[in-house]
Amino acid sequence: VNMMSGDFFGRGRKKRATQNKSKDEVIELELSLEQIYQGTEFVIQRKKRSFNSKDVETCKECNGEGVKVKVIRNGFMQFSSQETCSVCEGLGKSIDPSKYFYRNVDLTVKIPPGVDEGYQVKFKNMTDDIPNVLPGSVIYVVKYKPHKHFQIKEKDLFYDVNISLYEALVGGNRYIKFLDKNNLEILF
């Protein structure tokens, strides 16, 4: 980003790099209709990239400012322009990539019974660590896994069953195994 920040008298202002936040990580979580109906809880283990604070160094190129200031003189006038430091990408801090390490983090995912597709479980500050950047959230988004017998259409649960012409005319019943594993009688 290149911005003009001087005035006619040559007094430019340096812009201090502000602490950024990394992007959230969105992960699709495919669950069976049985898990959705009854609710479920499980642990997901993920690797989180981290570092020791003693390994973080102030960027030598921008002296930790995150920006480089260029002064342009034109006769009696002086202008300043700022651009993001390309070495530290505007963070003001850097770390040798070999100094990063990974640690295992257990995330307990709790899904209440009957959630809609698109339901989100959010874990704040769980993305990888980066110097001078606040970690973003890891967000798990529920997606229904296809079922061999049941289908969900909007808020309704459907079950296809083949019946004979006689049963269609006079009525009948069938027992099906429901999502909670109990037998359910269907009358038609």
Side-chain angles (χ1 to χ4, degrees):
V1 177
N2 196 7
M3 298 173 51
M4 296 301 286
S5 62
D7 62 17
F8 288 112
F9 303 105
R11 294 186 302 259
R13 284 181 252 141
K14 284 187 179 181
K15 180 183 171 193
R16 179 84 181 150
T18 57
Q19 192 168 29
N20 298 319
K21 183 180 178 215
S22 64
K23 284 186 174 183
D24 292 340
E25 184 179 342
V26 179
I27 302 167
E28 195 172 85
L29 187 63
E30 196 172 56
L31 299 175
S32 70
L33 292 183
E34 289 83 1
Q35 289 173 305
I36 299 295
Y37 178 76
Q38 297 175 0
T40 186
E41 182 176 318
F42 50 90
V43 175
I44 294 177
Q45 190 177 75
R46 66 178 275 119
K47 291 187 181 297
K48 179 178 164 103
R49 187 179 74 170
S50 294
F51 57 86
N52 291 317
S53 58
K54 66 179 177 68
D55 294 328
V56 178
E57 299 176 350
T58 300
C59 178
K60 293 177 179 97
E61 189 71 24
C62 66
N63 295 321
E65 293 292 324
V67 293
K68 290 197 256 181
V69 178
K70 291 183 180 178
V71 177
I72 302 167
R73 297 176 196 265
N74 186 3
F76 296 109
M77 299 171 76
Q78 178 175 312
F79 294 96
S80 297
S81 68
Q82 292 184 149
E83 55 185 47
T84 303
C85 177
S86 60
V87 175
C88 68
E89 297 176 356
L91 300 176
K93 304 279 182 184
S94 63
I95 186 169
D96 182 332
S98 67
K99 302 284 185 174
Y100 282 108
F101 61 91
Y102 288 89
R103 60 187 171 101
N104 290 326
V105 179
D106 289 340
L107 304 177
T108 302
V109 177
K110 295 179 184 178
I111 305 294
V115 299
D116 291 330
E117 193 167 43
Y119 177 83
Q120 296 183 355
V121 180
K122 188 175 193 175
F123 296 94
K124 292 183 177 182
N125 303 322
M126 280 295 136
T127 58
D128 290 341
D129 292 329
I130 301 170
N132 258 16
V133 176
L134 296 172
S137 298
V138 172
I139 303 169
Y140 289 97
V141 179
V142 170
K143 178 172 174 33
Y144 296 156
K145 190 183 293 186
H147 195 277
K148 66 180 185 177
H149 298 295
F150 290 99
Q151 292 179 354
I152 294 180
K153 295 178 184 171
E154 295 180 19
K155 298 273 185 188
D156 297 321
L157 185 64
F158 289 86
Y159 184 87
D160 287 330
V161 62
N162 291 323
I163 60 173
S164 68
L165 178 59
Y166 177 77
E167 290 173 317
L169 294 172
V170 298
N173 69 334
R174 286 277 189 333
Y175 287 92
I176 62 168
K177 195 161 287 265
F178 195 59
L179 297 172
D180 61 2
K181 306 293 184 210
N182 290 321
N183 285 329
L184 178 68
E185 184 178 16
I186 298 176
L187 301 172
F188 46 86

